[in-house]
Amino acid sequence: MKIKDVISTLEQFAPLPLQESYDNAGLQIGLTEADVSGVLLCLDVTEAIVQEAIDKGCNMIVSHHPLLFHGLKQIGDSDYVQRAAVMAIKNDIAIVSMHTNLDNVEGGVNSEIARRLGAEGEVTEGLFVGEFAQPLSAEEYIYKVKETFNADVVMTNGLLERPVKRIAICGGAGAFMLAKAVEEGADAFLTGEMKYNDYFDREEIQITVIGHYESEQFTKELLKDIIDKGCPGIRTIVTENNTNPIKYF
C-alpha cells in the first residue's frame, strides 16, 4: 500500500474542505507514490518525532497539528520546524496532518473527547454538544474531567450551583466557541486553552480548561483507528514521545 492510499483513507474520513480557512492540513512533506513501511501517529511533529520514525522504520508520520502551519521563507536549522523538515526530507519520510478538518467532522477529535467523558451528542458547526446520561454536580464534573484526561491541573470559573448535564466541547484553543456553547444551552464548556478575560461574566456556564495538549492527547489513537480500519495490514505506531511543551510544577 502506498502513502497516497493512507492519505486517501484519512481524507475520506475528514475531508480537507472541512478545515478552517487559516489552517494547513493535508500533505506537508514527501512523495506519495512510495510504499508505506510504517506510520507513526503523533500530536505534534518535532525532531524527536522524526527521529522516532527513523528508529522504528516508519516512512510516514501522521500528526494532528501541522508541522508547516505558516509559510517558510527558508529551510535551514534556525528553528525546530525547519530542522524537522530537513530530517524528514533527508530520510524520505512523508508528513501528513489532519487538523481542523478532523476537529470538525462527526467522529473526530471533539467526538472522541465526548466519548471518553461518557457524553452522547453530535457535532454542530465545529462544536460538540452532548449530554451525560446522569447529571453531575459541578464538582463531580470537574473531577471527572481531571481523571479522564489525567490532567495535573484544570482552570475553571466559579462552580455552578446547578448540575452539569449538557456539555459543549472544542479541543485545542476553543475560546472562539464559548459564545456558541452558551447559545446551545450548555451547562459546561470544555476546551484546551482560553485567555484571562474570557472567564469574566460567564456565571451561566461552567468553563473548564484542561490544556491544549491534554484536550487533544487522544487524537493519536483516533488517527490509528482510522488507518487501521481503512488500510488493514499497515503497521501503525502511536508515538512514545510526549510533545507537550508546557510543564506543570
Side-chain angles (χ1 to χ4, degrees):
M1 192 167 288
K2 297 184 182 299
I3 287 171
K4 67 179 182 181
D5 299 319
V6 178
I7 294 175
S8 177
T9 293
L10 290 166
E11 293 184 2
Q12 284 178 29
F13 183 89
L16 290 183
L18 292 179
Q19 70 178 308
E20 300 294 336
S21 60
Y22 59 80
D23 203 5
N24 187 40
L27 180 66
Q28 306 276 293
I29 290 173
L31 304 177
T32 63
E33 290 292 338
D35 291 334
V36 180
S37 63
V39 184
L40 183 67
L41 295 316
C42 60
L43 191 62
D44 310 284
V45 181
T46 64
E47 295 163 89
I49 291 291
V50 179
Q51 187 61 56
E52 184 180 5
I54 296 168
D55 293 342
K56 293 180 177 176
C58 297
N59 66 346
M60 185 175 186
I61 295 171
V62 178
S63 68
H64 182 45
H65 295 145
L67 174 66
L68 305 180
F69 194 76
H70 303 290
L72 294 180
K73 293 187 177 181
Q74 66 178 39
I75 300 180
D77 62 357
S78 61
D79 60 44
Y80 86 92
V81 172
Q82 295 179 42
R83 292 191 295 270
V86 169
M87 284 180 67
I89 292 168
K90 281 185 174 181
N91 290 277
D92 295 321
I93 295 173
I95 298 176
V96 177
S97 299
M98 295 284 107
H99 194 210
T100 54
N101 54 319
L102 192 61
D103 290 333
N104 293 335
V105 72
E106 188 72 48
V109 175
N110 294 330
S111 297
E112 180 66 11
I113 294 172
R115 186 186 72 79
R116 296 204 176 232
L117 280 172
E120 297 292 333
E122 62 182 15
V123 174
T124 172
E125 298 182 29
L127 192 71
F128 188 97
V129 180
E131 294 190 354
F132 295 112
Q134 297 294 329
L136 303 173
S137 71
E139 188 172 5
E140 287 172 334
Y141 161 73
I142 294 296
Y143 281 107
K144 184 178 183 67
V145 168
K146 287 194 67 172
E147 180 181 15
T148 300
F149 296 94
N150 193 28
D152 293 327
V153 63
V154 300
M155 291 179 287
T156 185
N157 55 345
L159 295 180
L160 286 183
E161 295 183 1
R162 67 175 191 275
V164 173
K165 183 172 177 63
R166 188 168 173 82
I167 178 174
I169 295 169
C170 184
F176 69 103
M177 278 293 189
L178 177 57
K180 178 66 176 174
V182 173
E183 181 184 313
E184 290 286 340
D187 300 307
F189 176 58
L190 173 67
T191 191
E193 59 179 280
M194 290 177 61
K195 294 180 180 179
Y196 177 79
N197 287 338
D198 294 329
Y199 293 85
F200 283 102
D201 294 328
R202 290 298 183 184
E203 293 81 5
E204 77 275 31
I205 191 168
Q206 186 73 63
I207 299 172
T208 318
V209 180
I210 60 176
H212 197 125
Y213 180 91
E214 286 81 1
S215 71
E216 297 178 329
Q217 62 186 291
F218 303 123
T219 306
K220 305 181 293 292
E221 287 77 9
L222 174 61
L223 289 166
K224 185 180 190 308
D225 186 58
I226 294 167
I227 297 173
D228 286 348
K229 289 178 179 177
C231 303
I234 289 289
R235 187 168 63 100
T236 55
I237 301 172
V238 173
T239 180
E240 296 178 3
N241 280 288
N242 181 334
T243 57
N244 189 357
I246 300 173
K247 309 302 177 187
Y248 302 99
F249 292 92

